[in-house]
Amino acid sequence: MINIPKGTKDVIPNESYKWHYIENVVKSIAENFCVKEIRTPTFEHTELFLRGVGDTTDIVNKEMYTFLDKGDRSITLKPEGTAGVARAFIENSLFNMPQPTKMYYITPVFRYERPQNGRLREHHQFGVEYFGSDSPIADIEVMLIAKTIFDKLGVKNITLNINSIGCPECRKKYNAALKDFLKNNFDNLCATCRDRFDKNPLRILDCKEDKCKVLLKDAPKVLDYLCEDCLNHHKAVCDGLDNLGIDYIINPQIVRGLDYYTRTVFEFVSNNVGAQGTICGGGRYNNLVEEVGGNSCPAVGFGMGIERLILMLENLNLPCGEEQKVDIYIATLTQDAVGISLKLADYFRKQNFKVEQDLMMRSAKAQMKYANKIGAKFVIIIGEDELKTNSLILKNMQTGENNMMPIDGIQLATQILKEGK
């Protein structure tokens, strides 16, 4: 037997309704904010992620699925959604459209990491990206989209953590201060953070190693090194959240794991999704479009994992949609009734009913047992007696009531079915 690759998961038919539910909720909310869908390829040229995501990140250094194609080109399965959307924004000249350009996506992403509860090597992200606006209102609006999703799903006790990591000029000063703070404890840092010390010291704040967390307890805060413009932007974001009554925590440790972030960064955190509680993360990335070959363009967005959303709803015993019910099962008790069954099934499906019919050549008793097992609301029965009288029996499976009616008077059956739907 060939097994599924480690870190991947099948979405089997009796679970797919959960995905449909989540996808319908996030799409509906995105559309209420006038955000339109974009679909980008599953794989991109590796250079896009080296330039966009950053060659000092764990994603690029450790987690990307990269290979040479038959043309000897380096190709990577996308490890996140934003860089591909930025590439599409440039390549399709979306910057020439009225701004801002507001887009959402639902996409598979691939990261070679240790599989955990709610975190897979192939997982799926819902993301929102706004291009063209440098306004704090755009930052607030993308956070509000995420919060609206959680509210719609009925999820409570989620904490919004926000921070600002400033612009490149702010970070030069902060990186110098952070390195000065850590230099006497350099040998006590983990190997990854020692490597980050010169390449990208800010990312040391994102370390999950306990010994590094202890060393960083009294580290200087990036907010203390913001320039006037970045500080004003951060204050405007906080004021806007306050005005909307959205609770948040200013967390100086939030820096996000990707190099493209500038100014606002944020995470929504829950304790109901396993080892790592971040269920949505994002922020502003004003330099990304330029980094991947476009003109300077401000942008802000977020991503959230679909699997983690489903896991959270299950852990909280919250509704996650419901499996599709069968409206009508057509039981044929004789081979001569099959032609009529096919016509009836076609007719009722065109009337927007969910219809099953016997495909297994079951006995009459087995068909009724199967109809009950699949939860059919009504069963249409056509046997030899019904064929002789050109009629059918419509059985209400909830009440047990039987109605006999002529096949030619199918409109009456339709009316009964609609009333019982």
Side-chain angles (χ1 to χ4, degrees):
M1 174 181 170
I2 301 173
N3 294 319
I4 193 170
K6 183 177 181 180
T8 62
K9 184 180 179 181
D10 295 314
V11 179
I12 58 179
N14 64 350
E15 293 181 350
S16 59
Y17 70 91
K18 299 175 184 178
W19 290 73
H20 300 159
Y21 175 70
I22 294 289
E23 290 168 3
N24 288 337
V25 167
V26 299
K27 286 180 180 180
S28 174
I29 290 171
E31 288 165 2
N32 287 345
F33 281 79
C34 301
V35 185
K36 298 179 180 179
E37 185 180 13
I38 184 170
R39 302 187 186 192
T40 61
T42 302
F43 56 88
E44 301 268 6
H45 293 292
T46 303
E47 183 186 9
L48 174 67
F49 303 112
L50 294 177
R51 292 174 62 181
V53 175
D55 58 6
T56 65
T57 63
D58 287 346
I59 290 176
V60 170
N61 284 332
K62 304 175 183 178
E63 299 172 1
M64 294 204 311
Y65 281 89
T66 298
F67 57 93
L68 294 177
D69 69 6
K70 292 184 178 181
D72 208 32
R73 294 171 289 255
S74 183
I75 298 294
T76 295
L77 300 179
K78 60 182 172 187
E80 55 89 51
T82 304
V85 176
R87 191 265 315 144
F89 177 78
I90 300 165
E91 191 165 349
N92 294 282
S93 302
L94 299 182
F95 48 81
N96 287 328
M97 303 292 287
Q99 298 301 309
T101 299
K102 299 160 61 171
M103 297 175 278
Y104 78 85
Y105 53 83
I106 297 174
T107 185
V109 293
F110 305 85
R111 296 185 189 178
Y112 189 86
E113 56 184 345
R114 183 172 64 87
Q116 301 175 57
N117 199 16
R119 187 178 292 272
L120 300 168
R121 289 177 176 174
E122 180 194 27
H123 60 281
H124 298 78
Q125 279 189 358
F126 167 72
V128 169
E129 316 291 355
Y130 280 23
F131 290 87
S133 172
D134 199 25
S135 169
I137 299 173
D139 304 35
I140 295 165
E141 188 166 295
V142 297
M143 285 187 259
L144 186 56
I145 292 175
K147 183 181 183 302
T148 304
I149 290 170
F150 299 134
D151 290 345
K152 178 69 174 179
L153 295 174
V155 179
K156 302 184 186 300
N157 301 319
I158 289 177
T159 304
L160 171 59
N161 290 260
I162 68 170
N163 191 23
S164 176
I165 56 174
C167 63
E169 292 304 313
C170 302
R171 285 207 296 277
K172 284 180 185 177
K173 297 176 184 177
Y174 178 70
N175 284 340
L178 182 61
K179 289 172 70 174
D180 187 59
F181 172 81
L182 290 172
K183 64 183 180 182
N184 293 330
N185 283 300
F186 178 83
D187 292 336
N188 295 322
L189 294 171
C190 71
T192 301
C193 287
R194 289 198 299 271
D195 187 55
R196 290 170 175 168
F197 187 84
D198 287 316
K199 293 180 179 178
N200 193 346
L202 183 70
R203 295 228 40 252
I204 295 175
L205 298 177
D206 197 44
C207 185
K208 304 300 187 288
E209 296 281 345
D210 288 338
K211 66 177 182 179
C212 291
K213 289 181 180 179
V214 171
L215 293 175
L216 291 165
K217 184 179 179 183
D218 297 316
K221 295 178 173 55
V222 67
L223 291 174
D224 294 332
Y225 292 82
L226 297 183
C227 67
E228 185 177 359
D229 284 347
C230 290
L231 189 61
N232 289 338
H233 187 99
H234 177 65
K235 184 178 184 303
V237 170
C238 293
D239 289 345
L241 294 172
D242 291 336
N243 186 52
L244 289 169
I246 298 175
D247 294 331
Y248 61 91
I249 294 171
I250 296 177
N251 184 345
Q253 300 299 114
I254 299 293
V255 296
R256 303 297 299 149
L258 308 175
D259 283 356
Y260 52 59
Y261 284 110
T262 56
R263 290 190 173 174
T264 304
V265 288
F266 65 88
E267 294 180 352
F268 285 87
V269 180
S270 168
N271 295 318
N272 297 289
V273 289
Q276 298 184 33
T278 302
I279 52 174
C280 172
R284 181 162 284 282
Y285 43 94
N286 286 356
N287 299 324
L288 177 60
V289 174
E290 193 170 5
E291 285 286 339
V292 297
N295 295 323
S296 179
C297 178
V300 62
F302 70 78
M304 64 173 67
I306 302 293
E307 285 88 348
R308 292 171 75 77
L309 277 178
I310 293 172
L311 177 64
M312 181 174 61
L313 295 181
E314 291 174 341
N315 288 348
L316 294 171
N317 293 316
L318 289 171
C320 195
E322 58 182 30
E323 197 166 357
Q324 177 177 292
K325 302 297 184 183
V326 177
D327 294 318
I328 309 166
Y329 178 80
I330 303 175
T332 50
L333 310 187
T334 173
Q335 184 64 29
D336 293 337
V338 170
I340 295 174
S341 173
L342 287 167
K343 289 181 180 179
L344 288 174
D346 182 57
Y347 170 82
F348 282 116
R349 286 167 183 154
K350 288 175 179 175
Q351 300 298 312
N352 206 31
F353 290 101
K354 299 174 181 65
V355 183
E356 278 274 28
Q357 58 186 332
D358 181 39
L359 303 178
M360 303 298 293
M361 308 297 289
R362 292 182 172 96
S363 67
K365 183 178 179 180
Q367 286 187 67
M368 295 306 294
K369 187 176 181 180
Y370 177 72
N372 191 57
K373 186 176 291 186
I374 64 175
K377 297 175 185 176
F378 290 87
V379 175
I380 291 176
I381 303 168
I382 309 172
E384 289 185 3
D385 292 343
E386 287 73 37
L387 285 177
K388 290 176 183 177
T389 58
N390 195 34
S391 62
L392 58 81
I393 297 173
L394 179 64
K395 182 179 182 67
N396 186 320
M397 296 294 283
Q398 294 169 316
T399 66
E401 180 184 1
N402 288 335
N403 283 283
M404 180 170 281
M405 57 193 67
I407 291 175
D408 294 341
I410 200 68
Q411 289 80 8
L412 176 59
T414 304
Q415 181 181 340
I416 295 172
L417 289 164
K418 287 182 176 177
E419 290 171 355
K421 211 176 178 186

